[in-house]
Amino acid sequence: MSKTTERQRVATQIHPRVAVDAVLFTINHGELRTLLIKIKKGVFGGRWAFPGGLVQVAEALDEAAKRELYEKTGVRDLYLEQLYTFGDAQRDPSARTVAVSYFALVPPLDHAPHSGEKYADINWFPVHALPELAYDHNAVAAYALERLQTKLSYTNIVYSLLSREFTVAELQEIYEIILGRSLDRRNFRRKILSAGFLKPLSKTKGGAHRPAQLYAFTRRQPMNLDIL
């Protein structure tokens, strides 16, 4: 082994690689689902994991996460938040890697995600029925779900999971799916409408007997609110 190659090997051991992993949530068919990719080769070949990759030299962490998600989904306009840094020395047997995790939210996509040449497959999985994931991604999944459930109580980020127009009943269903419990219909409606982040539209949805009022968000940007 040449001296240059040996120095490079030692430098790699001394200085960990930096990666990003992204937990992308959506609501589909009455379930909270997350996007997973299947690794092609290596120690975790054939296992599922969250989309991610190494951060490029001139790239900010947030931009790396956005790039990875865009490459898989074609979506740029999504809610994205840094979650936690996972740095256990044994998390990646192939190389010392520190991973900065994110969670992101999108409405149901009208097109299939794209695995590209890097991965063997890509698919949506129910959050409560995930396979044994590569690296430490089962821990990442649990952390991301807890963060999402907590933020529903004091922010409006639920807007990222809904279409532009919706009923209060549809909004409540999103909350119940994510929280995993039923909410009192009257109390939920009162608190949601008094929070001030919805505006009624001059439209209704449903049959002729009891059509439901349609609403939209006053702002499709993150803001803190007292909701639950």
Side-chain angles (χ1 to χ4, degrees), residues 9 17 35 42 89 94 99 106 109 114 116 136 139 146 155 157 162 170 174 177 183 197 204 223:
R9 185 185 68 81
R17 305 184 306 179
L35 190 67
S94 64
V106 291
L109 301 180
H114 179 57
D136 47 9
E146 181 181 3
T155 74
I157 64 171
L162 281 158
E170 290 170 338
I174 297 293
I177 289 171
L183 300 172
F197 71 105
T204 57
M223 53 191 291

Side-chain angles (χ1 to χ4, degrees), residues 12-22 52-56 61 64 82 84-102 135-137 140:
T12 300
Q13 292 177 336
I14 295 174
H15 302 289
R17 305 184 306 179
V18 179
V20 290
D21 295 317
L54 295 177
V55 179
Q56 298 173 2
L61 290 172
Q82 192 174 125
Y84 191 75
T85 299
F86 291 81
D88 188 282
Q90 307 304 318
R91 65 177 305 277
D92 185 350
S94 64
R96 180 73 172 94
T97 306
V98 174
V100 181
S101 60
Y102 286 79
Y135 309 107
D136 47 9
H137 285 190
V140 176

Side-chain angles (χ1 to χ4, degrees), residues 7 16 23 36 40 45 63 67-68 77 86 96 107 115 118 121 127 134 161 169 177-178 194 201 223-224 226 228:
R7 283 197 298 269
V23 183
L36 297 179
K40 270 188 179 180
E63 293 306 312
R67 171 178 54 78
E68 287 289 340
D77 183 21
F86 291 81
R96 180 73 172 94
S115 63
K118 183 179 177 181
D121 198 3
V127 167
L161 295 166
I177 289 171
I178 295 173
S194 64
L201 303 176
M223 53 191 291
N224 289 343
D226 181 17
L228 297 180

